[in-house]
Amino acid sequence: MKKKKIVKILWIVAGTLVLLLGVGFGYIMLVMPNIPVPDLKVQADSAQLANGKYLANHVMVCIDCHSSRDWTKFSGPLVLGTEGMGGEKFDNSLGFPGTFYAKNITPFGLKDWSDGEIYRAITSGVSRDRHILFPVMPYMNYGTMDSRDIYDVIAYIRTLPSITNVIPESNADFPMGIILHMIPKKAQPITKPPFADVDKYGEYLVNAGGCIDCHTIFIDGKYDLKKAFAGGREFNLPFGIIRSANITPDGLTGIGGWKTSVFVNRFKAYDMTINPLTTVGPRDFNSLMPWSMYAGMNEDDLVSIFRYLITLQPISNPVVKFTPLK
């Protein structure tokens, strides 16, 4: 009798645990995240539209991921006429826990969206239908930007030519599909630092540009923040493995020995209005970094970014930038 009683108790405990897990799972999947849509109607003048265009094309580079790129040229410049149409794929081959597609952000894709819904998606990663966006779009960064900058970006993308392009659904691997529901947070916007506060302004731009994402090692769906900005993140591409550069101020393996002018000129060298980009073959070294888009950043902003980066903790991390396919 005692043995039967113990077995019964064990079954009750197991059943209770299953019930609790089911309730917890249901709460996560059906309730989280509980982020309301702000009541928002964006109004923008020509200056605000210009700022939104600048941010979307040259700082946050939203248009980069949400367009097609010409990989026959170094760093894959935009294919003109595809701006905002979406479709770029981020999958396991690039180290992502699933298959995720950049959405169509032209009026074709956003025609039924309110400005508040777009704001929530950009700053919290929650789509109009409440599915959770994978943070390949760094909405956690955007959620701490000045709301006025986000409003300007919203106003700008509303002006893009409408392009008919239906995007496949994204799918996260298990357990990322569950974890995703626990990532989004309500936006916590700050006031944009004044340009005169060079270091703080530079930090703001680095956050807006999501520099930490590509320049930090990413393994099993997590960033190694002990090596933030130290480079080495791997991207497996058809022509080989490329790795991001160390942009900490380490004197030997980072940018510690660079002058400001070297940093600025590194970007401006890819200004397509001055220098055509190099043609590359399918097995040649290439770069995921959209150099031609960042080249459109104004020099003062690039100086501010450099000024901030050299205040970071130097991290020694030699990076082999390219391993070609054998």
Side-chain angles (χ1 to χ4, degrees):
M1 291 295 293
K2 187 179 287 187
K3 185 177 180 180
K4 289 183 177 179
K5 188 174 183 180
I6 292 173
V7 171
K8 184 178 180 180
I9 291 171
L10 289 175
W11 273 109
I12 292 172
V13 170
T16 302
L17 288 174
V18 170
L19 178 62
L20 290 174
L21 286 172
V23 171
F25 177 79
Y27 180 81
I28 290 171
M29 298 301 292
L30 298 176
V31 178
M32 295 179 66
N34 185 19
I35 301 174
V37 176
D39 183 11
L40 175 64
K41 182 63 179 176
V42 172
Q43 302 289 339
D45 58 24
S46 59
Q48 291 168 320
L49 280 172
N51 182 52
K53 181 178 181 179
Y54 175 71
L55 291 170
N57 284 276
H58 304 303
V59 181
M60 298 164 67
V61 291
C62 318
I63 303 303
D64 163 51
C65 284
H66 290 277
S67 306
S68 294
R69 295 170 69 177
D70 179 5
W71 292 108
T72 67
K73 303 291 184 182
F74 183 74
S75 75
L78 294 188
V79 176
L80 296 180
T82 70
E83 291 88 342
M85 68 181 284
E88 185 166 356
K89 182 168 70 172
F90 305 87
D91 60 9
N92 300 110
S93 68
L94 294 174
F96 292 95
T99 301
F100 308 96
Y101 295 91
K103 300 304 181 184
N104 186 333
I105 59 170
T106 72
F108 174 82
L110 298 179
K111 59 181 178 295
D112 296 325
W113 290 53
S114 69
D115 290 341
E117 287 169 336
I118 298 175
Y119 181 87
R120 183 178 66 170
I122 293 174
T123 60
S124 295
V126 181
S127 186
R128 182 173 185 266
D129 61 5
R130 293 194 73 255
H131 82 263
I132 312 304
L133 305 177
F134 186 77
V136 62
M137 181 180 80
Y139 50 80
M140 292 175 287
N141 299 48
Y142 299 158
T144 60
M145 290 178 63
D146 193 318
S147 291
R148 293 171 298 180
D149 276 344
I150 305 299
Y151 299 161
D152 293 352
V153 169
I154 293 171
Y156 165 68
I157 61 176
R158 291 287 200 194
T159 70
L160 292 173
S162 186
I163 301 175
T164 301
N165 188 34
V166 179
I167 308 301
E169 292 296 324
S170 297
N171 289 290
D173 295 337
F174 180 83
M176 182 52 67
I178 299 172
I179 295 171
L180 275 177
H181 284 260
M182 297 184 281
I183 295 176
K185 297 178 181 179
K186 186 177 179 181
Q188 297 179 313
I190 65 169
T191 300
K192 191 173 187 175
F195 176 75
D197 189 349
V198 178
D199 292 349
K200 284 293 184 182
Y201 183 73
E203 181 180 15
Y204 181 86
L205 294 176
V206 166
N207 175 71
C211 308
I212 193 173
D213 292 353
C214 284
H215 290 276
T216 303
I217 292 174
F218 185 78
I219 301 175
D220 297 330
K222 296 180 181 178
Y223 291 102
D224 182 357
L225 295 180
K226 292 181 180 178
K227 294 185 177 180
F229 297 100
R233 180 172 180 177
E234 293 190 348
F235 299 91
N236 293 286
L237 299 172
F239 53 84
I241 300 173
I242 59 173
R243 301 173 185 85
S244 56
N246 183 344
I247 56 172
T248 73
D250 182 67
L252 294 177
T253 65
I255 61 172
W258 291 33
K259 294 181 178 179
T260 305
S261 59
V262 172
F263 183 83
V264 172
N265 290 337
R266 181 77 171 88
F267 286 82
K268 291 301 181 181
Y270 299 100
D271 185 344
M272 293 176 63
T273 64
I274 301 173
N275 301 311
L277 294 175
T278 305
T279 299
V280 295
R283 297 266 177 163
D284 295 337
F285 169 70
N286 209 330
S287 175
L288 282 177
M289 183 159 171
W291 283 107
S292 60
M293 299 197 76
Y294 286 128
M297 207 181 307
N298 69 58
E299 292 192 10
D300 289 336
D301 283 356
L302 287 169
V303 169
S304 295
I305 287 173
F306 181 71
R307 286 279 299 272
Y308 170 68
L309 290 176
I310 61 175
T311 69
L312 299 175
Q313 178 69 31
I315 300 174
S316 177
N317 187 37
V319 174
V320 177
K321 292 185 178 180
F322 179 48
T323 303
L325 288 178
K326 295 182 179 179

